[in-house]
Amino acid sequence: MPDTPPASPATSAVISEVVDKYADDLVALRRDLHAHPELSWEEHRTSEAVVSALEGAGWDIARPPGGGVIAEIGHGERLVALRADLDALPVDDLISDPWRSTVPGVAHACGHDVHTAGLVGAGLALAEVATRGLLPGRVRLLFQPAEEVMPGGALHLISAGALEGVSHVFGLHCDPSLDVGRIGLREGPLTGAADSLTVRLIGKGGHTSRPHLTEDLTFALGKVITELPAILSRRLDPRAGVSVVWGMVRAGSAPNVIPHGGVVAGTVRMLDAVAWADAEHLIRQLITAIVAPYSVTAEVTYQRGVPPVVNHEESTRLLGVGVENVLGPHGHVSTAQSLGGEDFGWFLDSVPGAMARLGTRTSGGATYDLHQGNLRIDEAATPIASRVLAEAAVTALSAAG
C-alpha cells in the first residue's frame, strides 16, 4: 500500500476497545437479524434494530420515507460514508443453528445480516472516537434497503441525499470463498453490470401434428434461448464478458399442444460499462430478428439493474490502509472481478469509493456459495467488519486533512 497514514494509535485503540467490548452483542445482533429476515422494501424490524442499537450513542438518525436508515456523527466539512444492506432473499434457510430463519421461504443467504451488524459495530466504535475528540470530521452510516432487487435501494438513498457532501464511500461484502481474517481488495472493476430480461412470445397455437398451420411458438422460444447468447458473443466485444443465463422458461401444458404463449426470463451480465450502455438496444433488436421467421410476436421486458462496481484508486488505497491497521500487511489479498451484481455501483457512479470482500469462511472449513440456503458464516467476521469499516472512515478523514 502507498504511504497513506493510518488512523492514529490512540484512535485505533479506541476502535479495538469498543468493538471488543460489544463483540458478543454484535454476534447476537447478527443472529437476531438472521432469525428474522425481511425481504426487499420490507426491512422494518431490521431498521428498528439498527436504530435501537445506535440511538443512545450520539448519532443523528434519520429514516427516509420508503425505507432504510441514515445516521451521522461528527463535525466539520470532511465527510465519509459507510454502507451496509439490510434485505434478505426469498429462499429457504437450510442451516440447523438455533438462529435459523423463523420466516418460511426467507433467509439471509447473502450475508446482509453480517453487513448490518458489522456497520452497527463500526458506528458504536466511531461514536466513542467522536466522544473522545478523536474524529477528524463527519461519518455518515447508510443502512440501505432493497439491494437484492433491480434497480436497487441505493438509488432510493441517493435521492434522499445520502451522498451529499461525501468525499468517499466504503462498503464490505461477504465472501464465503475467502478465509475469515482476510479481506479481498481490487482497484478498478470489482463486479459486473446486472440486468433482468423477460421475453414473452405470443402466436397461433395448434396440434403438434400440424406445426405448419401454427406459428410453433415453443420452437421459436427455444431459438431465443439458444441463439441470443450465441449472437451476442459475436456482436459485443468479447472482453466485455457478456453473459445471458436463463433462469425460468415456461410454455404449454401438454406434449401434443403447441401453446399460444410462452415466456423465458433470465439475467444479462457483463464486465464492461460501455457494453452495458449498448446492451439493451442490441438485445431488443436481436430478439426481433430471431423470432421473425416464425411470425410470433415478442414482448421484451428489459430492466436495467446495476452498473459495475468500479473501485476508485485512492479510495481503494485508503480502505487497504484501514485493513492493514486491523489485520496487518497480509490482511488483504487480491480478488478477481465477478459477474455478480451489486447496487453499490450506483454510489460509485456519484462519488469516489471502494468495496472490499470480507472473508467469512472458517479456515480449513467448507466453502459455501452466496444466495444458497446452506450459507454458513464464521461469526468472527462480524467484529472484523466493524473494525475495518471504522478504520477506513478515520483513515479517509485523516487523509483529507
Side-chain angles (χ1 to χ4, degrees):
M1 281 288 146
D3 54 353
T4 300
S8 70
T11 303
S12 293
V14 174
I15 292 172
S16 294
E17 172 192 329
V18 174
V19 173
D20 288 346
K21 175 183 176 182
Y22 289 106
D24 290 344
D25 293 333
L26 297 174
V27 169
L29 173 61
R30 182 256 160 178
R31 292 180 178 183
D32 178 71
L33 297 178
H34 192 94
H36 301 90
E38 295 174 303
L39 294 174
S40 303
W41 302 117
E42 299 175 4
E43 308 94 332
H44 310 298
R45 183 185 184 281
T46 305
S47 297
E48 288 294 339
V50 167
V51 171
S52 177
L54 293 176
E55 62 185 351
W59 288 88
D60 182 11
I61 298 174
R63 299 284 296 273
V69 178
I70 299 175
E72 189 171 315
I73 203 166
H75 304 281
E77 294 298 317
R78 290 171 286 180
L79 175 61
V80 169
L82 304 174
R83 175 268 203 174
D85 36 16
L86 302 170
D87 53 333
L89 284 161
V91 301
D92 289 321
D93 195 345
L94 303 179
I95 68 170
S96 57
D97 298 299
W99 55 89
R100 67 175 297 173
S101 173
T102 60
V103 183
V106 183
H108 271 296
C110 199
H112 296 189
D113 49 346
V114 178
H115 305 166
T116 299
L119 186 53
V120 165
L124 295 173
L126 290 167
E128 185 62 24
V129 171
T131 297
R132 300 191 192 186
L134 298 172
L135 189 64
R138 291 180 291 148
V139 178
R140 186 176 293 160
L141 307 183
L142 310 179
F143 292 91
Q144 178 206 309
E147 189 276 332
E148 295 291 359
V149 295
M150 295 182 182
L155 293 174
H156 163 68
L157 286 194
I158 291 170
S159 68
L163 296 181
E164 291 179 5
V166 170
S167 61
H168 298 276
V169 58
F170 299 105
L172 296 174
H173 197 293
C174 289
D175 184 345
S177 69
L178 191 63
D179 283 354
V180 68
R182 294 289 182 267
I183 303 291
L185 277 181
R186 178 185 176 88
E187 181 186 314
L190 181 71
T191 69
D195 300 338
S196 67
L197 172 64
T198 301
V199 182
R200 187 176 301 277
L201 300 187
I202 303 169
K204 181 182 178 182
H207 199 287
T208 56
S209 66
R210 295 180 290 277
H212 59 293
L213 299 180
T214 75
E215 291 165 350
D216 204 348
L217 181 143
T218 308
F219 191 83
L221 200 64
K223 286 291 187 178
V224 172
I225 291 170
T226 58
E227 292 192 12
L228 180 62
I231 298 172
L232 278 174
S233 72
R234 297 299 182 267
R235 294 291 301 274
L236 290 172
D237 189 332
R239 293 172 296 182
V242 178
S243 172
V244 176
V245 178
W246 307 108
M248 185 273 286
V249 58
R250 185 171 62 245
S253 57
N256 60 347
V257 178
I258 295 173
H260 295 276
V263 62
V264 61
T267 57
V268 183
R269 301 176 186 272
M270 61 209 75
L271 302 175
D272 182 71
V274 175
W276 188 56
D278 299 334
E280 179 179 358
H281 174 73
L282 178 58
I283 286 172
R284 290 181 180 275
Q285 185 182 72
L286 291 177
I287 291 171
T288 299
I290 290 168
V291 303
Y294 312 102
S295 300
V296 299
T297 299
E299 297 178 351
V300 178
T301 302
Y302 193 102
Q303 174 68 62
R304 279 172 65 84
V306 295
V309 170
V310 182
N311 284 339
H312 185 264
E313 178 182 3
E314 181 186 4
S315 302
T316 306
R317 181 172 66 248
L318 294 169
L319 181 53
V321 172
V323 171
E324 290 187 5
N325 223 26
V326 176
L327 300 172
H330 302 296
H332 54 76
V333 296
S334 179
T335 189
Q337 184 180 7
S338 78
L339 278 171
E342 164 59 71
D343 74 349
F344 191 76
W346 289 120
F347 292 124
L348 302 191
D349 265 7
S350 301
V351 300
M355 170 170 276
R357 294 188 171 127
L358 173 71
T360 61
R361 179 179 63 190
T362 300
S363 181
T367 298
Y368 297 92
D369 198 5
L370 298 172
H371 287 214
Q372 299 298 305
N374 66 342
L375 176 67
R376 299 298 302 270
I377 299 293
D378 188 312
E379 293 183 315
T382 300
I384 290 174
S386 299
R387 291 184 62 193
V388 167
L389 289 170
E391 290 279 356
V394 174
T395 298
L397 289 174
S398 300

